[in-house]
Amino acid sequence: MPNMNVQAPAPETVSTARAPISPREINRSCCLPVTVLLASSVGWLVVASVLGLISAIKLHAPGLLSGTAWLTYGRVYPAYSFALIYGFAAPAGLGLGLWILARLSRAAAFGPIATMIAGLFWNFGVLVGTLGILSGAGAGYEGLEVPGFASPILLASYLALALFAILTLHFRSERELYVSQWYLLMALFWFPWIFTTAEMLVVYFPSRGVVQAVIAGWFVHNLYWIWMASLGLAAVFYFLPKLTGQPLHSRGLAMFGFWSLACFGGWGGVQGGTPAPSWLASVSGAAGIMMLVPLLAVAVNWHMTMKGKDQKLAPSPFLPFFKFGAFCFILASLLQIVGLLRAPASVSGHSHDLSETVQSTFALAFGLLGQFAEVARFTHYGNGVSSLFLFGFFAMVAAGGIYYAVPKLTQCEWPAPELMKWHFRCAAAGAALLAASLIIGGIRQGAAMNNPSLAFLETVRSTVPFLGLGTLGMLLLLVGNCALGINFARLLLNCRCSECCPSPTNPGGRS
Amino acid sequence: MFRVLSVPDKSRRAIMNQGPLVFLGVYLAMALSWLGMVFVPEMQLGRMQETTVPPAGGRYPAPRSGLAQEGRDVYRANGCYYCHTQQVRARGFGADFERGWGARHSVAPDFLYDRPVMLGNVRVGPDLANIGVRQPNAATHLLHLYDPQMTAPGSTMPPYRFLFEKRKISGSPSPEALKLSGESAPEPGFEVVPKPDALALVAYLQSLRADLPLFEAPLPLPGKKPGGAGTTNQPPDGTPTTNPASGTTPVK
């Protein structure tokens, strides 16, 4: 780029920078697309909670609603998981992400109407997918249930949403990129790639044999630990400093955490013992343990940022959502890492080789946990960790973001602030109960399963009380999420939309 | 770009302000994980062919029968894999052998022709990698699907009544009708017969048998050589039982 030095300022700045606009105008430009995305996500959250409650009850009362094929456990559970991730998490994360992106960029949302249409189209894809799964068209992989006929709809609308988000970022007037924007860039880009790969090589033109399972596992791992994690982390990195009134502790540390997540987060999804080449499980396990690095960087950054809070700022009612979410992210990541641990195959105590010494030190350090994968594998433990991730971390952070952003977008206050408190209490208790019962029940189940003197049906029975507690947790989550749904519905019904959404006819609005 | 990079004290900060550079870095990280976890496995296993079974020289695996392939679709559509795995872990990792879930651990060739490969993640129910060996009887499978409490009291498996049809007996009773007694029996003059989906599903379950010794997964029999395809259905206690069904043709 030789002409770059000739022209001053750089051409990129000339072509893309816009005059900064007021936050009010940014909110107005985002109002329509972001509110539609967030409202639809809350609707799907309630639907997913109902489906989740049904499937949770079915685990210990299998006779319930077993008469129809559409409501059998093997269809309701994937429909719940699909509705939660694609119906709730994706639009909530993208909607909040779009708003955060616009606010940090000090730029109006690019193409708000087109973004809204893409969002509606995405919802159509989720509806088609959910009905498809219930009708028996699920693709056959846990976490990649989406039927082949729904995935092009989802991919096309995601590409449109991501394109408009990136154009918003491109035309930013604030040149400095904040941490949240990195994470959003990663999330926006990562999903289409993994989704296309998985759909092509697993659903449309399946690879041979277990390669399908390896790719599906890789997809699900990336979906959770890169895509959803990035969307959630972007929100936490945006709101924690904002609500505590403290600047982010360290941008360098955040950068380190970001790149280490990008490096290690994508290598995973094959667990030990899978009938695939064992190097895949080894690489997955090693990368999984390396996830401690970004986790530590993020945790320290958050902790240091929150340390000096509340000096001059009244405690924000939204802060508990982010604190709880951040805590659950760290806990879920740790439990995920612990679930991968296996003792080194053979550690000799007699060798004086340095590498052996290092290995045996590790074996000692992980001595207690070394056999954990053997217990945790094939039990409810994994579902417990993903529940903690989805409800404890992602849904909490998204709910906090929704509570904060929607009044600013629509210029309408929440009709029942009390409901928000009840939502937090119910959702926090529900997420904790659901995750704890599945994790503890899973460990008990695994210990029983590895004891061949116990009949298999005994291992089934030993989990039933825990699954009952899990149902209670799911019920609490449903109550909490309904509180959010009712609050949101009342806000939208009472809101005068002509005031808050002038963008179609009057893009400038009043300043 | 060079202008930005030439400012040393603010360079790190400035690089992370360049959207395209962040994008490029993310792209590289993404592409590496894609290469490692998608491309290389595809290169390694994507052209796998059926293998030769060591002692007898038979080919493994044989494709499933048409009915069993239809049954695999029923298995997929009703999400059986959310509660059942189809993978036996190597000896010493878990108690899969001790529970008699397989004579050897599962390996990649076992799933060569499967679309999708439903390995499963949770064992709410037992592993099914060798259910065709453990339970070859179709009638028992049908009863279990109709009412799991009859065959496994206390099980949390839901009944799959929608795979069956209760109909009036016209003429002589159907030979396929379930032999039900007690509460689950239909009223006199009626019979419960499996729908085609149930028969296909059972054919699939019967086809689930990964018990032939392979080079990478020999049958672990202390002091005995694997005695050819005819004696491969070893229960974990080591007593050889001959299953004529798997005698000559390697059925998977």
Short mmCIF file of all heavy atoms in Angstrom, two decimals, chain A residues 4 74-75 78 136 138 140-141 145 172 176-177 182 193 207-209 212 251 255 279 374 378 445 448-449 451 454, chain B residues 1 12-13 16-17 30 33-34 37 42 44 46 48 76-78 81-82 87 94 99 111 114 117 121 123 125-126 156:
data_model
loop_
_atom_site.label_atom_id
_atom_site.label_comp_id
_atom_site.label_asym_id
_atom_site.label_seq_id
_atom_site.Cartn_x
_atom_site.Cartn_y
_atom_site.Cartn_z
N MET A 4 -0.48 4.91 0.78
CA MET A 4 -1.03 5.21 2.10
C MET A 4 -0.28 6.35 2.77
O MET A 4 -0.85 7.16 3.50
CB MET A 4 -0.93 3.97 2.98
CG MET A 4 -2.15 3.79 3.82
SD MET A 4 -2.12 2.21 4.57
CE MET A 4 -3.83 2.08 5.00
N GLY A 74 -37.32 -38.46 22.85
CA GLY A 74 -36.26 -38.30 21.85
C GLY A 74 -36.57 -37.23 20.81
O GLY A 74 -35.72 -36.97 19.94
N ARG A 75 -37.75 -36.63 20.86
CA ARG A 75 -38.03 -35.50 19.97
C ARG A 75 -38.19 -34.21 20.77
O ARG A 75 -37.79 -33.15 20.32
CB ARG A 75 -39.31 -35.77 19.18
CG ARG A 75 -39.19 -36.98 18.26
CD ARG A 75 -40.36 -37.05 17.32
NE ARG A 75 -40.36 -38.30 16.58
CZ ARG A 75 -41.24 -38.59 15.64
NH1 ARG A 75 -42.20 -37.73 15.35
NH2 ARG A 75 -41.18 -39.73 14.99
N PRO A 78 -34.53 -32.82 21.93
CA PRO A 78 -33.80 -32.05 20.91
C PRO A 78 -34.53 -30.78 20.49
O PRO A 78 -33.88 -29.77 20.21
CB PRO A 78 -33.66 -33.02 19.75
CG PRO A 78 -34.55 -34.14 20.01
CD PRO A 78 -34.77 -34.20 21.48
N GLY A 136 -39.96 -35.60 13.53
CA GLY A 136 -39.07 -36.74 13.33
C GLY A 136 -38.01 -36.53 12.27
O GLY A 136 -37.45 -37.48 11.77
N GLY A 138 -35.18 -34.74 12.73
CA GLY A 138 -33.90 -34.36 13.33
C GLY A 138 -32.74 -35.04 12.61
O GLY A 138 -32.88 -36.14 12.10
N GLY A 140 -29.92 -36.28 13.61
CA GLY A 140 -29.31 -37.47 14.17
C GLY A 140 -28.06 -37.21 15.01
O GLY A 140 -27.36 -38.14 15.34
N TYR A 141 -27.77 -35.94 15.33
CA TYR A 141 -26.60 -35.65 16.15
C TYR A 141 -27.01 -34.71 17.26
O TYR A 141 -27.66 -33.69 17.00
CB TYR A 141 -25.48 -35.02 15.33
CG TYR A 141 -24.87 -36.00 14.39
CD1 TYR A 141 -25.32 -36.11 13.09
CD2 TYR A 141 -23.89 -36.87 14.83
CE1 TYR A 141 -24.79 -37.05 12.24
CE2 TYR A 141 -23.36 -37.82 13.99
CZ TYR A 141 -23.81 -37.90 12.70
OH TYR A 141 -23.30 -38.84 11.87
N GLU A 145 -29.13 -30.95 15.68
CA GLU A 145 -30.41 -31.59 15.37
C GLU A 145 -31.06 -31.00 14.14
O GLU A 145 -31.87 -31.65 13.49
CB GLU A 145 -31.39 -31.40 16.53
CG GLU A 145 -31.02 -32.11 17.80
CD GLU A 145 -30.21 -31.26 18.73
OE1 GLU A 145 -29.87 -30.12 18.37
OE2 GLU A 145 -29.91 -31.74 19.83
N ARG A 172 -17.96 2.78 11.37
CA ARG A 172 -17.96 3.33 12.73
C ARG A 172 -17.26 4.68 12.75
O ARG A 172 -16.38 4.94 11.92
CB ARG A 172 -17.30 2.35 13.69
CG ARG A 172 -15.81 2.12 13.47
CD ARG A 172 -15.34 0.96 14.34
NE ARG A 172 -13.89 0.79 14.33
CZ ARG A 172 -13.25 0.06 13.43
NH1 ARG A 172 -13.92 -0.52 12.45
NH2 ARG A 172 -11.94 -0.07 13.49
N GLU A 176 -11.38 3.22 17.75
CA GLU A 176 -10.85 2.22 18.67
C GLU A 176 -11.84 1.07 18.84
O GLU A 176 -13.02 1.30 19.05
CB GLU A 176 -10.56 2.86 20.03
CG GLU A 176 -9.94 1.89 21.00
CD GLU A 176 -9.24 2.58 22.16
OE1 GLU A 176 -8.76 3.72 21.97
OE2 GLU A 176 -9.18 2.00 23.23
N LEU A 177 -11.33 -0.15 18.71
CA LEU A 177 -12.18 -1.32 18.91
C LEU A 177 -12.08 -1.76 20.36
O LEU A 177 -10.98 -1.94 20.89
CB LEU A 177 -11.74 -2.47 18.00
CG LEU A 177 -12.08 -2.36 16.52
CD1 LEU A 177 -11.56 -3.59 15.80
CD2 LEU A 177 -13.58 -2.24 16.32
N TRP A 182 -14.24 -7.28 19.48
CA TRP A 182 -13.44 -8.43 19.01
C TRP A 182 -14.26 -9.70 19.13
O TRP A 182 -14.34 -10.50 18.19
CB TRP A 182 -12.17 -8.62 19.84
CG TRP A 182 -11.31 -7.41 20.04
CD1 TRP A 182 -11.26 -6.29 19.26
CD2 TRP A 182 -10.38 -7.22 21.10
NE1 TRP A 182 -10.35 -5.42 19.77
CE2 TRP A 182 -9.80 -5.96 20.90
CE3 TRP A 182 -9.98 -7.99 22.19
CZ2 TRP A 182 -8.83 -5.45 21.77
CZ3 TRP A 182 -9.03 -7.48 23.05
CH2 TRP A 182 -8.46 -6.22 22.83
N TRP A 193 -19.10 -20.49 9.33
CA TRP A 193 -18.08 -21.45 8.90
C TRP A 193 -18.35 -22.83 9.48
O TRP A 193 -18.41 -23.84 8.75
CB TRP A 193 -16.70 -20.94 9.32
CG TRP A 193 -15.58 -21.78 8.79
CD1 TRP A 193 -15.28 -23.05 9.17
CD2 TRP A 193 -14.65 -21.42 7.78
NE1 TRP A 193 -14.20 -23.51 8.46
CE2 TRP A 193 -13.79 -22.53 7.60
CE3 TRP A 193 -14.44 -20.27 7.03
CZ2 TRP A 193 -12.75 -22.51 6.69
CZ3 TRP A 193 -13.39 -20.27 6.12
CH2 TRP A 193 -12.57 -21.37 5.95
N SER A 207 -19.70 -37.57 5.28
CA SER A 207 -18.42 -38.25 5.19
C SER A 207 -18.62 -39.71 5.54
O SER A 207 -19.70 -40.14 5.93
CB SER A 207 -17.42 -37.65 6.18
OG SER A 207 -17.26 -36.30 5.92
N ARG A 208 -17.53 -40.45 5.48
CA ARG A 208 -17.64 -41.88 5.79
C ARG A 208 -17.64 -42.09 7.29
O ARG A 208 -16.80 -41.55 8.01
CB ARG A 208 -16.45 -42.63 5.19
CG ARG A 208 -16.57 -42.80 3.72
CD ARG A 208 -16.09 -44.16 3.33
NE ARG A 208 -17.11 -44.83 2.53
CZ ARG A 208 -16.95 -46.05 2.04
NH1 ARG A 208 -15.87 -46.72 2.28
NH2 ARG A 208 -17.90 -46.59 1.33
N GLY A 209 -18.57 -42.91 7.74
CA GLY A 209 -18.52 -43.43 9.10
C GLY A 209 -18.33 -42.40 10.19
O GLY A 209 -18.99 -41.36 10.19
N GLN A 212 -18.27 -38.35 10.42
CA GLN A 212 -19.48 -37.55 10.68
C GLN A 212 -19.59 -37.20 12.15
O GLN A 212 -19.86 -36.05 12.51
CB GLN A 212 -20.73 -38.32 10.28
CG GLN A 212 -20.82 -38.71 8.83
CD GLN A 212 -21.90 -39.76 8.61
OE1 GLN A 212 -23.07 -39.51 8.85
NE2 GLN A 212 -21.51 -40.94 8.18
N ARG A 251 -6.63 -3.98 29.08
CA ARG A 251 -6.92 -4.31 27.69
C ARG A 251 -5.97 -5.39 27.18
O ARG A 251 -6.35 -6.26 26.40
CB ARG A 251 -6.80 -3.04 26.86
CG ARG A 251 -7.25 -3.19 25.41
CD ARG A 251 -7.07 -1.86 24.70
NE ARG A 251 -6.97 -2.02 23.28
CZ ARG A 251 -8.00 -1.86 22.44
NH1 ARG A 251 -9.18 -1.53 22.91
NH2 ARG A 251 -7.84 -2.03 21.15
N MET A 255 -6.89 -8.94 25.62
CA MET A 255 -6.41 -9.36 24.31
C MET A 255 -5.82 -10.77 24.39
O MET A 255 -6.08 -11.62 23.54
CB MET A 255 -5.34 -8.37 23.85
CG MET A 255 -4.97 -8.47 22.41
SD MET A 255 -3.89 -7.08 22.02
CE MET A 255 -2.43 -7.97 21.59
N TRP A 279 -5.74 -40.01 18.55
CA TRP A 279 -5.06 -38.71 18.62
C TRP A 279 -6.09 -37.58 18.67
O TRP A 279 -5.83 -36.52 19.26
CB TRP A 279 -4.09 -38.51 17.45
CG TRP A 279 -4.72 -38.41 16.09
CD1 TRP A 279 -4.90 -39.43 15.19
CD2 TRP A 279 -5.24 -37.24 15.46
NE1 TRP A 279 -5.50 -38.95 14.05
CE2 TRP A 279 -5.72 -37.62 14.19
CE3 TRP A 279 -5.35 -35.90 15.83
CZ2 TRP A 279 -6.30 -36.72 13.30
CZ3 TRP A 279 -5.93 -35.01 14.95
CH2 TRP A 279 -6.40 -35.42 13.70
N GLU A 374 -13.63 -40.91 33.40
CA GLU A 374 -14.18 -42.26 33.39
C GLU A 374 -15.53 -42.29 34.10
O GLU A 374 -16.42 -43.05 33.73
CB GLU A 374 -13.19 -43.19 34.10
CG GLU A 374 -13.45 -44.64 33.88
CD GLU A 374 -12.36 -45.49 34.48
OE1 GLU A 374 -11.30 -44.94 34.86
OE2 GLU A 374 -12.57 -46.70 34.58
N PHE A 378 -20.69 -40.30 29.62
CA PHE A 378 -21.95 -41.01 29.37
C PHE A 378 -22.96 -40.85 30.50
O PHE A 378 -23.83 -41.69 30.67
CB PHE A 378 -21.71 -42.51 29.13
CG PHE A 378 -20.88 -42.81 27.91
CD1 PHE A 378 -19.93 -43.81 27.93
CD2 PHE A 378 -21.06 -42.08 26.76
CE1 PHE A 378 -19.16 -44.08 26.80
CE2 PHE A 378 -20.30 -42.35 25.63
CZ PHE A 378 -19.35 -43.35 25.66
N GLN A 445 -24.34 -41.50 39.11
CA GLN A 445 -24.70 -42.44 38.05
C GLN A 445 -23.45 -43.09 37.47
O GLN A 445 -23.40 -44.31 37.26
CB GLN A 445 -25.46 -41.69 36.96
CG GLN A 445 -25.88 -42.52 35.77
CD GLN A 445 -26.33 -41.64 34.61
OE1 GLN A 445 -26.16 -40.41 34.65
NE2 GLN A 445 -26.90 -42.24 33.58
N ALA A 448 -21.89 -45.57 39.81
CA ALA A 448 -22.65 -46.83 39.83
C ALA A 448 -22.44 -47.62 38.54
O ALA A 448 -22.32 -48.84 38.56
CB ALA A 448 -24.14 -46.52 40.03
N MET A 449 -22.35 -46.88 37.42
CA MET A 449 -22.23 -47.56 36.13
C MET A 449 -20.89 -48.27 36.02
O MET A 449 -20.77 -49.31 35.38
CB MET A 449 -22.38 -46.55 35.00
CG MET A 449 -22.90 -47.13 33.73
SD MET A 449 -24.07 -46.04 32.92
CE MET A 449 -23.10 -44.59 32.61
N ASN A 451 -19.39 -49.72 38.35
CA ASN A 451 -19.34 -50.81 39.30
C ASN A 451 -20.19 -51.95 38.75
O ASN A 451 -21.40 -51.95 38.90
CB ASN A 451 -19.87 -50.32 40.65
CG ASN A 451 -19.93 -51.44 41.67
OD1 ASN A 451 -19.51 -52.57 41.39
ND2 ASN A 451 -20.46 -51.13 42.82
N LEU A 454 -23.31 -53.80 40.32
CA LEU A 454 -24.64 -53.21 40.39
C LEU A 454 -25.35 -53.44 39.06
O LEU A 454 -24.77 -53.19 38.00
CB LEU A 454 -24.54 -51.71 40.64
CG LEU A 454 -24.32 -51.23 42.07
CD1 LEU A 454 -24.18 -49.72 42.08
CD2 LEU A 454 -25.47 -51.66 42.95
N MET B 1 -1.78 0.76 6.88
CA MET B 1 -1.42 -0.33 7.77
C MET B 1 0.01 -0.14 8.27
O MET B 1 0.29 -0.25 9.46
CB MET B 1 -1.53 -1.65 7.01
CG MET B 1 -1.64 -2.84 7.93
SD MET B 1 -2.31 -4.25 7.08
CE MET B 1 -0.90 -4.85 6.20
N ARG B 12 0.48 -2.37 19.76
CA ARG B 12 -0.39 -3.47 20.13
C ARG B 12 -1.84 -2.99 20.19
O ARG B 12 -2.76 -3.63 19.71
CB ARG B 12 0.03 -4.01 21.49
CG ARG B 12 -0.46 -5.41 21.73
CD ARG B 12 0.10 -5.94 23.01
NE ARG B 12 -0.30 -5.09 24.12
CZ ARG B 12 -0.04 -5.39 25.39
NH1 ARG B 12 0.62 -6.47 25.68
NH2 ARG B 12 -0.42 -4.60 26.36
N ARG B 13 -1.99 -1.84 20.78
CA ARG B 13 -3.31 -1.24 20.88
C ARG B 13 -3.89 -0.99 19.49
O ARG B 13 -5.05 -1.28 19.22
CB ARG B 13 -3.14 0.10 21.59
CG ARG B 13 -4.18 0.41 22.58
CD ARG B 13 -3.80 1.75 23.21
NE ARG B 13 -5.01 2.50 23.50
CZ ARG B 13 -5.73 2.29 24.58
NH1 ARG B 13 -5.37 1.37 25.44
NH2 ARG B 13 -6.82 2.99 24.80
N MET B 16 -5.11 -4.02 17.38
CA MET B 16 -6.42 -4.53 17.78
C MET B 16 -7.54 -3.53 17.48
O MET B 16 -8.69 -3.78 17.79
CB MET B 16 -6.42 -4.91 19.26
CG MET B 16 -5.63 -6.15 19.56
SD MET B 16 -6.16 -7.59 18.60
CE MET B 16 -7.56 -8.16 19.55
N ASN B 17 -7.19 -2.38 16.89
CA ASN B 17 -8.22 -1.47 16.43
C ASN B 17 -8.49 -1.63 14.95
O ASN B 17 -9.32 -0.92 14.39
CB ASN B 17 -7.82 -0.02 16.72
CG ASN B 17 -7.90 0.27 18.20
OD1 ASN B 17 -8.65 -0.40 18.90
ND2 ASN B 17 -7.14 1.24 18.66
N MET B 30 -9.53 -20.11 13.28
CA MET B 30 -10.63 -20.94 12.81
C MET B 30 -10.13 -21.98 11.81
O MET B 30 -10.42 -23.18 11.91
CB MET B 30 -11.65 -20.01 12.15
CG MET B 30 -12.71 -20.66 11.35
SD MET B 30 -13.92 -21.40 12.41
CE MET B 30 -13.82 -23.08 11.88
N SER B 33 -8.17 -24.85 13.40
CA SER B 33 -8.98 -25.86 14.08
C SER B 33 -9.75 -26.68 13.04
O SER B 33 -9.95 -27.89 13.20
CB SER B 33 -9.91 -25.21 15.09
OG SER B 33 -11.26 -25.25 14.68
N TRP B 34 -10.15 -26.04 11.97
CA TRP B 34 -10.85 -26.76 10.89
C TRP B 34 -9.93 -27.79 10.25
O TRP B 34 -10.31 -28.94 10.03
CB TRP B 34 -11.33 -25.74 9.86
CG TRP B 34 -12.16 -26.31 8.77
CD1 TRP B 34 -13.51 -26.48 8.77
CD2 TRP B 34 -11.70 -26.79 7.49
NE1 TRP B 34 -13.92 -27.04 7.59
CE2 TRP B 34 -12.84 -27.24 6.78
CE3 TRP B 34 -10.45 -26.88 6.88
CZ2 TRP B 34 -12.75 -27.76 5.49
CZ3 TRP B 34 -10.37 -27.41 5.61
CH2 TRP B 34 -11.50 -27.83 4.92
N MET B 37 -9.30 -30.65 13.03
CA MET B 37 -10.40 -31.47 13.52
C MET B 37 -11.39 -31.89 12.43
O MET B 37 -12.26 -32.69 12.68
CB MET B 37 -11.16 -30.73 14.63
CG MET B 37 -10.34 -30.38 15.85
SD MET B 37 -9.63 -31.81 16.69
CE MET B 37 -11.08 -32.51 17.45
N GLU B 42 -10.84 -36.31 7.97
CA GLU B 42 -11.44 -36.66 6.68
C GLU B 42 -10.41 -37.35 5.79
O GLU B 42 -10.68 -38.35 5.14
CB GLU B 42 -12.00 -35.39 6.02
CG GLU B 42 -12.51 -35.56 4.62
CD GLU B 42 -13.78 -36.39 4.53
OE1 GLU B 42 -14.58 -36.33 5.47
OE2 GLU B 42 -13.94 -37.08 3.51
N GLN B 44 -7.80 -38.95 6.87
CA GLN B 44 -7.38 -40.21 7.47
C GLN B 44 -8.45 -41.30 7.31
O GLN B 44 -8.12 -42.45 7.04
CB GLN B 44 -7.09 -39.98 8.96
CG GLN B 44 -6.46 -41.18 9.63
CD GLN B 44 -6.14 -40.91 11.09
OE1 GLN B 44 -6.37 -39.82 11.60
NE2 GLN B 44 -5.60 -41.90 11.77
N GLY B 46 -11.72 -40.71 5.65
CA GLY B 46 -12.77 -40.44 4.69
C GLY B 46 -12.87 -41.45 3.57
O GLY B 46 -13.91 -41.57 2.93
N MET B 48 -12.06 -44.74 4.04
CA MET B 48 -11.93 -46.07 4.64
C MET B 48 -12.79 -47.08 3.87
O MET B 48 -13.90 -46.80 3.44
CB MET B 48 -12.40 -45.98 6.09
CG MET B 48 -12.30 -47.27 6.83
SD MET B 48 -13.07 -47.09 8.44
CE MET B 48 -11.62 -46.94 9.43
N ARG B 76 -33.26 -42.75 14.48
CA ARG B 76 -32.86 -41.34 14.41
C ARG B 76 -34.04 -40.42 14.69
O ARG B 76 -33.96 -39.51 15.50
CB ARG B 76 -32.29 -41.03 13.03
CG ARG B 76 -32.01 -39.56 12.79
CD ARG B 76 -31.74 -39.26 11.33
NE ARG B 76 -32.84 -39.65 10.45
CZ ARG B 76 -34.02 -39.02 10.36
NH1 ARG B 76 -34.25 -37.97 11.08
NH2 ARG B 76 -34.95 -39.47 9.54
N ALA B 77 -35.19 -40.69 14.00
CA ALA B 77 -36.34 -39.78 14.10
C ALA B 77 -36.84 -39.68 15.53
O ALA B 77 -37.25 -38.61 15.97
CB ALA B 77 -37.45 -40.26 13.17
N ASN B 78 -36.80 -40.79 16.27
CA ASN B 78 -37.33 -40.76 17.63
C ASN B 78 -36.25 -40.52 18.67
O ASN B 78 -36.51 -40.64 19.87
CB ASN B 78 -38.08 -42.06 17.91
CG ASN B 78 -39.34 -42.14 17.07
OD1 ASN B 78 -40.22 -41.30 17.20
ND2 ASN B 78 -39.40 -43.12 16.18
N TYR B 81 -30.89 -42.07 20.33
CA TYR B 81 -29.49 -41.84 20.70
C TYR B 81 -29.33 -40.79 21.78
O TYR B 81 -28.22 -40.51 22.20
CB TYR B 81 -28.69 -41.44 19.45
CG TYR B 81 -29.24 -40.24 18.72
CD1 TYR B 81 -28.77 -38.96 18.99
CD2 TYR B 81 -30.26 -40.38 17.80
CE1 TYR B 81 -29.29 -37.86 18.34
CE2 TYR B 81 -30.79 -39.28 17.15
CZ TYR B 81 -30.31 -38.04 17.42
OH TYR B 81 -30.83 -36.95 16.80
N TYR B 82 -30.43 -40.17 22.21
CA TYR B 82 -30.30 -39.25 23.34
C TYR B 82 -30.17 -40.00 24.66
O TYR B 82 -29.80 -39.40 25.66
CB TYR B 82 -31.47 -38.27 23.39
CG TYR B 82 -31.35 -37.23 22.32
CD1 TYR B 82 -31.97 -37.38 21.09
CD2 TYR B 82 -30.55 -36.11 22.53
CE1 TYR B 82 -31.82 -36.44 20.10
CE2 TYR B 82 -30.39 -35.17 21.54
CZ TYR B 82 -31.02 -35.34 20.32
OH TYR B 82 -30.85 -34.42 19.34
N GLN B 87 -21.31 -47.25 21.68
CA GLN B 87 -19.85 -47.34 21.68
C GLN B 87 -19.39 -48.03 22.95
O GLN B 87 -19.70 -47.61 24.05
CB GLN B 87 -19.22 -45.94 21.55
CG GLN B 87 -19.90 -44.86 22.34
CD GLN B 87 -19.23 -43.52 22.14
OE1 GLN B 87 -18.03 -43.44 21.95
NE2 GLN B 87 -20.01 -42.45 22.21
N GLY B 94 -13.94 -47.49 32.26
CA GLY B 94 -15.32 -47.81 32.51
C GLY B 94 -15.50 -49.31 32.66
O GLY B 94 -14.52 -50.06 32.69
N ARG B 99 -19.94 -55.30 32.04
CA ARG B 99 -21.39 -55.32 31.92
C ARG B 99 -21.84 -56.15 30.72
O ARG B 99 -23.04 -56.27 30.48
CB ARG B 99 -21.91 -53.89 31.77
CG ARG B 99 -21.81 -53.09 33.04
CD ARG B 99 -22.69 -51.88 33.06
NE ARG B 99 -22.62 -51.26 34.37
CZ ARG B 99 -23.33 -51.64 35.41
NH1 ARG B 99 -24.20 -52.63 35.28
NH2 ARG B 99 -23.19 -51.05 36.57
N PHE B 111 -18.77 -48.47 12.05
CA PHE B 111 -19.78 -47.48 11.65
C PHE B 111 -19.63 -47.07 10.19
O PHE B 111 -20.14 -46.04 9.78
CB PHE B 111 -19.69 -46.25 12.56
CG PHE B 111 -19.71 -46.60 14.02
CD1 PHE B 111 -18.54 -46.81 14.71
CD2 PHE B 111 -20.92 -46.75 14.67
CE1 PHE B 111 -18.56 -47.15 16.05
CE2 PHE B 111 -20.95 -47.09 16.01
CZ PHE B 111 -19.77 -47.30 16.70
N ASP B 114 -22.79 -46.22 8.18
CA ASP B 114 -23.92 -45.59 8.86
C ASP B 114 -24.03 -44.11 8.52
O ASP B 114 -23.04 -43.37 8.50
CB ASP B 114 -23.77 -45.76 10.38
CG ASP B 114 -24.21 -47.14 10.81
OD1 ASP B 114 -24.92 -47.78 10.02
OD2 ASP B 114 -23.83 -47.56 11.91
N VAL B 117 -24.14 -41.50 12.09
CA VAL B 117 -23.48 -42.35 13.06
C VAL B 117 -23.95 -41.91 14.44
O VAL B 117 -23.59 -40.84 14.90
CB VAL B 117 -21.95 -42.21 12.96
CG1 VAL B 117 -21.26 -43.03 14.03
CG2 VAL B 117 -21.48 -42.66 11.59
N ASN B 121 -24.24 -39.86 23.67
CA ASN B 121 -23.42 -39.21 24.69
C ASN B 121 -23.82 -39.57 26.11
O ASN B 121 -23.05 -39.35 27.03
CB ASN B 121 -23.55 -37.68 24.56
CG ASN B 121 -22.47 -37.11 23.69
OD1 ASN B 121 -21.34 -37.59 23.73
ND2 ASN B 121 -22.81 -36.13 22.89
N ARG B 123 -25.85 -42.37 28.79
CA ARG B 123 -26.40 -43.70 28.97
C ARG B 123 -27.52 -43.67 30.00
O ARG B 123 -27.36 -44.13 31.12
CB ARG B 123 -25.30 -44.67 29.39
CG ARG B 123 -24.40 -45.06 28.24
CD ARG B 123 -23.24 -45.89 28.69
NE ARG B 123 -22.44 -46.33 27.54
CZ ARG B 123 -21.23 -46.85 27.65
NH1 ARG B 123 -20.69 -47.01 28.83
NH2 ARG B 123 -20.57 -47.21 26.56
N GLY B 125 -30.13 -45.24 29.21
CA GLY B 125 -30.34 -46.68 29.04
C GLY B 125 -29.02 -47.33 28.71
O GLY B 125 -28.01 -46.65 28.55
N PRO B 126 -28.99 -48.67 28.60
CA PRO B 126 -27.72 -49.35 28.35
C PRO B 126 -27.19 -49.10 26.94
O PRO B 126 -27.90 -48.63 26.06
CB PRO B 126 -28.09 -50.83 28.53
CG PRO B 126 -29.55 -50.90 28.31
CD PRO B 126 -30.11 -49.59 28.77
N THR B 156 -36.75 -46.47 32.99
CA THR B 156 -37.31 -45.15 32.72
C THR B 156 -37.48 -44.94 31.22
O THR B 156 -37.64 -43.81 30.77
CB THR B 156 -36.43 -44.03 33.29
OG1 THR B 156 -35.10 -44.22 32.83
CG2 THR B 156 -36.45 -44.04 34.79
#
